[in-house]
């Protein structure tokens, strides 16, 4: 297959992955990471289509998938908060007061609302993508990823250990966007940037952990026992050290 055919094949696989994950959840899947699997698949396809979002058909598909991702945010956050809380010493009493599982009825309702975004998704994606030739795909991909790297570079350069939490969170979003965007456009990028998505992953994970700790404290900090608060403080300090190191490494990759 040439590059265009390979790109089209990847699009089809992405769309089918979303369809499969959606149907599994709608059918009552109890797999621990089922919701996460759907959200990763949504993110992957939306990122692969990002450089072409000015085209109405692509914009419509991305908007529908984005709405589904948005409406499952809170449910996924609940899963993440419970899992993170369980790692902290002294969290048992607080954890016992929280709902142990995702609200399956609520999830099913949310999913059902977004059925039109999933119906015939592979066919709709392939039909919309058929209008693009290889030259256009390469040009748009390189332009979009270049802009993302510039924004990322500016965002990372402003970070210090004393930077407010919301700025670290903003940097996390930039890293996350750059990672999925570059992973989605690898076929069209210059060799130097073909592996950049993988280089973003450690920073995304470190920044994500730091953000999760902050969200956990915002949600439940007023219920922390002294022991749990001390455990959270230690985790937050270590998380900030890890995030700062990961950001420094990624900044070097951008500037190297």
């Amino acid at each position: 297959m040439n590059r265009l055919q390979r790109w089209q094949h990847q699009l089809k696989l992405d769309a089918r992955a979303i369809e499969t994950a959606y149907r599994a959840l709608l059918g009552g899947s109890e797999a621990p990471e089922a919701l996460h699997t759907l959200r990763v698949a949504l993110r992957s396809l939306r990122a692969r289509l990002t450089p072409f979002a000015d085209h109405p058909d692509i914009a419509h598909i991305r908007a529908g998938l984005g709405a589904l991702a948005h409406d499952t945010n809170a449910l996924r956050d609940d899963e993440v908060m419970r899992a993170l809380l369980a790692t902290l010493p002294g969290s048992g009493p607080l954890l016992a007061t929280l709902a142990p599982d995702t609200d399956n009825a609520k999830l099913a309702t949310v999913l059902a609302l977004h059925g039109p975004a999933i119906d015939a998704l592979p066919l709709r994606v392939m039909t919309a993508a058929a209008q693009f030739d290889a030259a256009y795909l390469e040009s748009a991909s390189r332009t979009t990823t270049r802009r993302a790297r510039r924004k990322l570079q500016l965002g990372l350069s402003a970070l210090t250990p004393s930077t407010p939490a919301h700025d670290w969170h903003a940097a996390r979003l930039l890293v996350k966007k750059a990672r999925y965007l570059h992973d989605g456009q690898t076929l069209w990028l210059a060799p130097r940037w073909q592996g950049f998505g993988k280089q973003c992953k450690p920073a995304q994970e470190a920044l994500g952990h730091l953000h999760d700790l902050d969200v956990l404290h915002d949600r439940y900090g007023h219920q922390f026992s002294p022991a749990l608060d001390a455990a959270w403080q230690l985790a937050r300090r270590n998380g900030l050290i890890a995030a700062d190191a990961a950001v420094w490494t990624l900044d070097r990759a951008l500037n190297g």
Side-chain angles (χ1 to χ4, degrees):
M1 290 189 289
N2 59 34
R3 279 197 299 171
L4 178 58
Q5 292 168 329
R6 288 163 62 195
W7 184 76
Q8 291 171 336
H9 181 64
Q10 288 176 338
L11 281 182
K12 185 180 293 185
L13 292 179
D14 283 348
R16 286 177 175 170
I18 292 172
E19 203 174 43
T20 299
Y22 176 86
R23 300 298 177 197
L25 278 171
L26 201 59
S29 172
E30 296 183 0
E33 290 294 295
L35 180 56
H36 179 58
T37 297
L38 172 63
R39 288 169 55 78
V40 169
L42 291 169
R43 196 178 301 133
S44 295
L45 180 55
R46 292 187 78 243
R48 204 179 298 280
L49 295 174
T50 294
F52 327 107
D54 288 343
H55 294 263
D57 292 341
I58 298 296
H60 181 71
I61 291 170
R62 292 186 76 253
L65 300 180
L68 174 55
H70 176 273
D71 288 353
T72 56
N73 278 342
L75 292 169
R76 176 57 182 169
D77 286 348
D78 288 344
E79 290 183 344
V80 171
M81 291 300 102
R82 284 192 298 272
L84 177 57
L85 188 58
T87 68
L88 299 178
S91 64
L94 175 56
L95 195 58
T97 70
L98 306 181
D101 299 306
T102 295
D103 185 339
N104 289 328
K106 184 176 180 180
L107 176 59
T109 299
V110 170
L111 292 173
L113 289 173
H114 294 278
I118 306 301
D119 288 344
L121 181 62
L123 176 60
R124 289 189 291 115
V125 167
M126 299 310 296
T127 300
Q131 62 188 302
F132 306 134
D133 61 23
Y136 171 75
L137 291 169
E138 180 170 351
S139 175
S141 295
R142 293 193 176 199
T143 298
T144 305
T145 51
R146 185 163 54 247
R147 288 174 181 164
R149 290 194 300 273
R150 287 173 181 166
K151 289 182 180 179
L152 179 59
Q153 194 169 24
L154 288 173
L156 297 184
S157 65
L159 294 175
T160 70
S162 60
T163 297
H166 61 77
D167 289 336
W168 283 94
H169 173 50
R172 179 185 76 89
L173 295 178
L174 289 174
V175 173
K176 187 176 181 179
K177 179 178 179 179
R179 177 192 170 189
Y180 279 93
L181 183 60
H182 281 75
D183 281 347
Q185 312 310 319
T186 298
L187 282 172
W188 308 109
L189 301 182
R192 176 184 176 184
W193 300 114
Q194 288 175 1
F196 186 67
K198 292 182 176 64
Q199 291 178 295
C200 290
K201 184 178 179 180
Q204 181 190 335
E205 291 179 343
L207 289 166
H209 180 62
L210 183 66
H211 176 62
D212 290 343
L213 286 166
D214 288 334
V215 172
L216 182 68
H217 193 272
D218 287 344
R219 281 194 182 190
Y220 305 115
H222 63 288
Q223 300 179 58
F224 282 7
S225 66
L228 179 54
D229 187 64
W232 179 87
Q233 294 286 353
L234 177 60
R236 180 60 167 74
R237 285 195 296 273
N238 290 337
L240 182 58
I241 291 170
D244 190 52
V247 163
W248 182 81
T249 301
L250 183 57
D251 193 46
R252 286 191 64 189
L254 276 167
N255 291 289

